[in-house]
Amino acid sequence: MLPRCAVSVCHVFVLVLCLSAAEDFDWTKNDHGSFYYGTFPAGFSWGAGSSAYQTEGAWDKDGKGLSIWDVFTHKRGKIQLNDTGDSSCEGYYKIKDDVSLIKELKLNHYRFSISWPRLIPTGIKSDHINEKGIQYYNELIDQLLANKITPIATLYHWDLPQVLQDKYGGWQNISIVNHFNEFASLCFERFGNRVKNWITFNNPWSVAVEGYETGEHAPGLRLRGTGAYRAAHNIIKAHAKVWHTYDTQWRGKQQGLLGISLSGDWGEPVDISNQKDIEAAERYVQFYLGWFATPIFHGDYPQVMKDYIGRKSSQQGLGTSRLPTFSPQEKSYIKGTCDFLGVGHFTTRYITQKSHPSERSSSSSYFTDRDLAELVDPRWPDPGSEWLYSVPWGFRRLLNFVKSQYANPMIYVTENGVSEKMRCTELCDEWRIHYFKDYINEMLKAIRDGVNVKGYTAWSLLDKFEWDEGYSERFGLYYVDFRNKNKPRYPKASVQFYKRVISSNGFPNQREVENWRIKAIETCSSSNQLLAAEEQRSTAANILRLIHDPLTSHMEMVTEIVVPTVCTLSILLCAILLMFLLRSRD
Ligand code: NOJ
């Protein structure tokens, strides 16, 4: 028999082990290494993704209700060039076409989202269920399965029913949790016999911060310092509730998995030998991915968020923290509500410590709460979106961080990709080939490090509506000609490259991978010609239309030729007059 004190020591030891389930992440070692030739584990799942509002169009067709994005995009000045997702890629009418593109790539899975207001127009289930919306997703799912493509369905990719925003304040109000749960239950009931992989929320960070803190995204609220935290709090509760619903009511019959898709940029300390920079970088990641992952895996917000927001709130003279708290019951209800973790990742920042004093409550925000500054290396390539620098090694770092913090969960990469900014046609997207090649390679290295990644989803299948950037940023493997009413799709060179990665399940050797790149670039020039010919044809058709339609022709001539010419001439005239005036004064 062990003496009593030895037993107690053992107890304490076990307790300490349990409490520190999160391993330490080694911030001081960032070994980029060279390109690794090798293959992915057998059964690794390759996919591509999309979301409802970004691709479906048909915003007011067949009984669909309004979403906050329909309303937001119809207000002037919110979106680049006042673009909207009204018709977007017309995906609603192109199930067969798009499934054939997915087949062409030989994808194992396809990730799409279900539009809540297409199924429940007001968001409130007892009001009305729109069977036509159900029919659309039934067809999509059936087509995918008929072609041996596994559907991964996201329940919330940002298109909240407008009625729930107007009536309750959207994600600011706890009442939304039950409505979301009812919508999710409807999806399990109608689609769960065929969909076995569910994602509750896509990138809740954006919903909270851009929707309710900065207002760049729908519903466009600017509730600085509080809005994002409150929205996130309700989102986390809604996620947990839906997980429990699935677990207790559906899993037995349907045998599926349910997770959440979190976005996270990686934060690398500017100076890995400086403890302050390391702490700032860790804060950056904890305020980003950790904000949602820590409650879901450990039951509560990251300690660093509680400390920083709590301290700043009391410096502002507030009685309680701006970060809401979970009750003990809520903590245990939320903890462990994740069968797999979806990770969306695009880019990296260097991080350094920077204090933001917070005496005035009006200046406090999610961003200043973190006390840090973000930097980028000017050598990092940034072919597309302003925020998207290609830093492949950051991906491996992030995946290893997730492994160390949350006891090596099952991971699906739910988004990874790069955009281009050109409005003109560019099918020979060599930079995207480089991006995919290097990022996928870093994921392979992470798997060798022991990270449990089961699948990868390239973002995105098609060019599509890119939120506040409208159509100015193209993420697609397939180019979509938005000027043409039929929205035809054309493969970019990256399609050929990604296809080879998939068929080889990785990177066999240098010579072959280099050949894939060269071949991909060669083939894209023929697609380019096809697109150019189609563009010429549609320009000619437009000219003919203008000739045959005198009223439109007159109006377009006025707006496109007369107005700009008159403006330019007036400016010129003013400049000349001003010049004369100045000369005569001399
Ligand atoms: C994450 C969002 O989930 C997705 O909708 C968007 O297209 C990408 N970021 C790129 O900005």
Side-chain angles (χ1 to χ4, degrees):
M1 271 265 241
L2 282 175
R4 274 188 89 136
C5 65
V7 174
S8 327
V9 168
C10 279
H11 274 154
V12 171
F13 185 64
V14 170
L15 201 72
V16 168
L17 271 184
C18 291
L19 286 178
S20 59
E23 301 165 23
D24 274 344
F25 176 79
D26 191 352
W27 287 93
T28 61
K29 221 170 66 199
N30 187 2
D31 163 27
H32 299 181
S34 51
F35 197 87
Y36 174 74
Y37 290 92
T39 51
F40 283 81
F44 189 81
S45 190
W46 296 98
S50 72
S51 83
Y53 186 75
Q54 291 182 280
T55 54
E56 283 176 8
W59 70 288
D60 59 350
K61 296 290 184 303
D62 290 347
K64 175 181 166 293
L66 286 182
S67 82
I68 53 173
W69 275 94
D70 293 317
V71 172
F72 189 67
T73 55
H74 288 168
K75 291 183 186 147
R76 293 192 75 74
K78 299 290 180 193
I79 310 291
Q80 278 251 357
L81 301 176
N82 293 311
D83 283 335
T84 72
D86 290 2
S87 59
S88 188
C89 311
E90 303 276 23
Y92 187 70
Y93 304 105
K94 287 178 174 282
I95 294 182
K96 285 218 166 111
D97 297 3
D98 290 343
V99 172
S100 70
L101 303 181
I102 297 169
K103 248 182 93 176
E104 164 67 21
L105 273 160
K106 300 221 163 47
L107 299 181
N108 306 110
H109 70 259
Y110 178 58
R111 178 181 173 222
F112 62 93
S113 79
I114 298 177
S115 159
W116 184 351
R118 200 180 282 293
L119 294 200
I120 306 177
T122 62
I124 302 166
K125 196 172 164 192
S126 55
D127 284 351
H128 174 61
I129 294 173
N130 179 30
E131 291 298 330
K132 286 218 164 134
I134 304 256
Q135 196 182 319
Y136 164 68
Y137 292 108
N138 269 335
E139 275 173 33
L140 173 61
I141 294 162
D142 289 344
Q143 275 295 320
L144 290 169
L145 291 174
N147 289 286
K148 302 199 168 49
I149 301 149
T150 304
I152 300 187
T154 305
L155 294 169
Y156 190 82
H157 202 126
W158 307 359
D159 42 359
L160 180 76
Q162 179 66 32
V163 171
L164 293 180
Q165 185 60 46
D166 293 341
K167 238 179 163 164
Y168 305 113
W171 292 106
Q172 291 297 292
N173 191 314
I174 185 73
S175 67
I176 199 162
V177 172
N178 283 336
H179 293 301
F180 183 63
N181 188 49
E182 295 211 322
F183 162 60
S185 303
L186 176 68
C187 293
F188 302 148
E189 180 195 329
R190 300 298 189 91
F191 311 127
N193 56 343
R194 289 155 294 154
V195 175
K196 305 294 170 192
N197 296 281
W198 294 100
I199 291 170
T200 50
F201 287 90
N202 172 74
N203 190 355
W205 183 92
S206 261
V207 178
V209 173
E210 293 173 303
Y212 294 90
E213 171 100 14
T214 66
E216 293 155 278
H217 281 188
L221 298 182
R222 297 200 178 101
L223 308 168
R224 290 195 193 273
T226 55
Y229 298 133
R230 203 175 307 126
H233 204 64
N234 291 326
I235 288 174
I236 293 165
K237 287 184 180 176
H239 161 82
K241 176 138 196 169
V242 168
W243 185 88
H244 282 286
T245 298
Y246 190 75
D247 198 47
T248 54
Q249 296 173 29
W250 303 96
R251 198 196 294 282
K253 285 175 257 178
Q254 300 185 345
Q255 299 292 310
L257 299 174
L258 185 135
I260 187 167
S261 172
L262 302 180
S263 270
D265 293 353
W266 177 244
E268 183 70 13
V270 167
D271 175 1
I272 50 173
S273 64
N274 178 340
Q275 189 56 27
K276 285 238 173 305
D277 279 0
I278 291 181
E279 282 165 17
E282 171 151 18
R283 267 199 313 283
Y284 177 80
V285 181
Q286 295 291 9
F287 267 75
Y288 214 133
L289 184 127
W291 183 6
F292 300 89
T294 317
I296 288 168
F297 286 101
H298 298 311
D300 201 359
Y301 291 117
Q303 191 58 43
V304 75
M305 283 188 82
K306 294 198 282 186
D307 291 347
Y308 269 66
I309 304 163
R311 185 163 40 83
K312 297 221 170 201
S313 305
S314 70
Q315 281 166 1
Q316 289 169 232
L318 300 172
T320 52
S321 173
R322 285 182 279 105
L323 183 71
T325 49
F326 294 117
S327 70
Q329 291 81 355
E330 285 169 344
K331 285 181 193 170
S332 55
Y333 184 74
I334 291 165
K335 184 177 172 174
T337 53
C338 205
D339 304 323
F340 64 88
L341 180 65
V343 173
H345 174 77
F346 292 89
T347 194
T348 284
R349 292 287 181 274
Y350 277 120
I351 305 294
T352 188
Q353 150 76 32
K354 183 176 183 231
S355 299
H356 293 277
S358 59
E359 298 84 47
R360 287 179 305 116
S361 63
S362 59
S363 67
S364 70
S365 77
Y366 161 85
F367 295 98
T368 56
D369 282 341
R370 302 174 306 173
D371 273 352
L372 54 86
E374 301 176 35
L375 305 165
V376 295
D377 184 332
R379 289 165 303 182
W380 288 344
D382 61 336
S385 315
E386 216 176 282
W387 53 271
L388 209 173
Y389 296 84
S390 173
V391 193
W393 53 259
F395 194 18
R396 181 182 180 186
R397 297 280 273 164
L398 178 74
L399 291 170
N400 270 288
F401 181 84
V402 168
K403 168 178 176 258
S404 71
Q405 295 286 299
Y406 314 115
N408 205 9
M410 187 204 289
I411 295 176
Y412 276 85
V413 172
T414 39
E415 284 185 17
N416 176 243
V418 67
S419 56
E420 68 236 28
K421 238 198 157 75
M422 278 154 273
R423 287 195 74 78
C424 64
T425 324
E426 186 47 278
L427 298 181
C428 298
D429 54 346
E430 201 164 355
W431 66 92
R432 184 172 286 108
I433 292 180
H434 285 297
Y435 182 99
F436 277 138
K437 175 175 165 238
D438 294 339
Y439 270 75
I440 292 173
N441 199 250
E442 291 298 320
M443 174 175 66
L444 180 56
K445 290 180 191 170
I447 291 174
R448 282 177 61 229
D449 297 336
V451 183
N452 188 14
V453 187
K454 295 289 188 201
Y456 174 84
T457 314
W459 193 259
S460 48
L461 181 71
L462 305 176
D463 288 340
K464 58 193 168 4
F465 180 80
E466 184 49 36
W467 308 113
D468 50 324
E469 301 299 338
Y471 295 97
S472 66
E473 295 179 7
R474 294 172 173 271
F475 275 84
L477 286 157
Y478 285 89
Y479 178 91
V480 178
D481 185 357
F482 293 108
R483 288 167 302 181
N484 184 324
K485 255 180 60 199
N486 296 325
K487 312 291 167 82
R489 286 81 157 124
Y490 298 87
K492 300 181 190 174
S494 48
V495 164
Q496 305 308 328
F497 186 83
Y498 188 38
K499 233 170 108 170
R500 304 268 176 239
V501 176
I502 296 171
S503 63
S504 304
N505 198 30
F507 307 98
N509 59 61
Q510 189 172 6
R511 196 168 42 83
E512 215 165 314
V513 174
E514 183 52 18
N515 255 339
W516 296 347
R517 190 188 60 79
I518 296 169
K519 286 247 168 63
I521 298 298
E522 275 168 18
T523 52
C524 71
S525 54
S526 57
S527 313
N528 255 342
Q529 281 163 13
L530 219 112
L531 176 55
E534 177 56 33
E535 277 183 334
Q536 269 175 10
R537 200 200 55 72
S538 75
T539 315
N542 276 342
I543 292 171
L544 276 177
R545 189 175 53 80
L546 288 182
I547 293 168
H548 287 128
D549 183 350
L551 181 64
T552 324
S553 145
H554 179 76
M555 291 304 287
E556 288 188 5
M557 201 172 78
V558 169
T559 54
E560 287 173 17
I561 302 170
V562 180
V563 173
T565 315
V566 169
C567 287
T568 318
L569 283 177
S570 320
I571 293 169
L572 258 172
L573 216 70
C574 287
I576 293 168
L577 276 176
L578 201 72
M579 222 169 66
F580 274 122
L581 217 75
L582 290 174
R583 283 238 177 109
S584 64
R585 282 183 65 187
D586 292 344

